[in-house]
Amino acid sequence: MAKGFTEGSSYKRGLPPVATQFRKGTSGNPKGRPKGAVSIERLTRKFALKTQPVAISGKTESMSRLEIAILKLKAVAATGHPAAAVLIDQLRDLTATEQPENKGPVLLSPEALTEDEWIKREEEANRHKIEPGTEINVEADEFLKAVRGEPSPLGEALLAFHEKYSI
């Protein structure tokens, strides 16, 4: 009796009868996908990569539909829609290139330095770096411009976001 069936009981899920099971080493789909069958992935890629003219700042440029969608998504995110920002992050995660794995372990053995030599090397390496807190905060400057009424697209977007989500 086939597995999953008992005498006098109702039907239970189990293996199909032995006569109808696929033989070991034989594909369940021997002919494969028929010619002319189109995958959704291929259709989507073809649609997204098709270029079309777009007017940007009065100039006509040819861009792919995917580029147009991403630019539009960035513009919507700049107006303060958090869902658009989340979508941009998801796209970034999908398109991020993976770092290649190391083929084997790497042993680093630093050279012996005295404390004074190490301090001198670090000071030389950090000579051109900006100290934390001294860089210009562009977003804060743009926000203040928008509050004062000065024209600033980024500032207006930040102000709109602040007004929408502040308590």
Side-chain angles (χ1 to χ4, degrees):
M1 185 166 277
K3 183 178 177 185
F5 292 96
T6 59
E7 283 190 38
S9 68
S10 61
Y11 172 76
K12 291 185 179 181
R13 294 190 73 108
L15 294 174
V18 176
T20 61
Q21 292 180 5
F22 292 113
R23 304 290 175 247
K24 201 168 204 121
T26 304
S27 170
N29 187 11
K31 292 183 181 178
R33 186 177 61 180
K35 286 186 178 182
V38 182
S39 69
I40 296 296
E41 181 180 325
R42 188 172 177 194
L43 280 176
T44 305
R45 180 175 286 115
K46 185 177 178 181
F47 177 83
L49 297 178
K50 187 169 183 168
T51 59
Q52 61 186 72
V54 179
I56 298 177
S57 301
K59 295 180 181 177
T60 303
E61 294 183 33
S62 182
M63 300 175 80
S64 72
R65 290 175 176 163
L66 180 61
E67 289 174 315
I68 296 167
I70 290 172
L71 286 176
K72 181 66 176 174
L73 192 58
K74 283 183 177 181
V76 171
T79 62
H81 290 284
V86 169
L87 282 173
I88 289 174
D89 284 341
Q90 289 174 348
L91 279 173
R92 221 176 258 133
D93 291 341
L94 286 173
T95 58
T97 57
E98 293 184 19
Q99 298 297 324
E101 292 184 26
N102 291 335
K103 298 295 180 191
V106 176
L107 176 63
L108 299 176
S109 57
E111 61 183 294
L113 294 175
T114 66
E115 186 176 342
D116 292 332
E117 290 173 328
W118 186 83
I119 290 173
K120 184 178 179 183
R121 279 192 183 181
E122 289 301 310
E123 286 175 345
E124 183 63 31
N126 294 323
R127 187 168 44 113
H128 297 292
K129 292 186 179 175
I130 299 173
E131 288 190 31
T134 60
E135 73 275 357
I136 299 170
N137 188 344
V138 175
E139 287 186 359
D141 292 344
E142 295 293 321
F143 181 78
L144 291 174
K145 284 181 185 178
V147 169
R148 288 190 298 259
E150 297 175 23
S152 167
L154 176 60
E156 290 170 10
L158 291 168
L159 182 60
F161 181 82
H162 176 73
E163 289 171 352
K164 184 172 183 178
Y165 294 102
S166 63
I167 297 174

